[in-house]
Amino acid sequence: MYPTKNIIQNAMNSKDHTTLVAAVKAASLVETLEGPGPFTVFAPTNEAFAMLPAGTVDNLLKPENKSTLTSILTYHVVSGKWDAMALAAKIKDGNGTAEIKTIQGGSLWVMMKGDKIIIKDEKGNMATVTIKDVYQSNGVIFVIDHALMPK
């Protein structure tokens, strides 16, 4: 990934994010995520999407499920450029947990477990950041090991 390229340009070159890229295209979010942002994206890997119940991703990629897919994907995006240091400061200010609003309108809770950043979704599922601070021209990406789900 290159810091001079935008979120979409870099994601399209990542072999670990082909499912995410296909979903972003199906949800017509390419133009948004190529925009100036800045955005912070919690990007599930192909393996993370594969952990969802069988058939979930294929079902979400159907045109009739575009609004649900869009809601799930925008739940993984936060307005602003939040790197690990900024998240750590927010977690410290929140006495161990920080609530952040997604562009979908929902909430994520961010906390530390040792030196790992953990993200909890509205359903109580947890994702661990496996790669932090992947800087883009229009934001930052955190690679995560589970897909996040809004209510």
Side-chain angles (χ1 to χ4, degrees), residues 119-139:
I119 304 156
K120 184 171 88 171
D121 67 19
E122 292 175 336
K123 292 192 173 186
N125 300 311
M126 306 285 228
T128 301
V129 172
T130 57
I131 301 173
K132 64 183 179 182
D133 295 343
V134 186
Y135 294 103
Q136 319 290 298
S137 65
N138 63 342

Side-chain angles (χ1 to χ4, degrees), residues 1 10-22 43-50 130-131 143-145:
M1 296 212 179
N10 279 318
M12 289 176 73
N13 289 320
S14 170
K15 65 180 180 10
D16 294 328
H17 292 94
T18 56
T19 303
L20 179 61
V21 169
T45 60
N46 295 340
E47 280 185 18
F49 280 112
T130 57
I131 301 173
V143 178
I144 58 175
D145 65 353

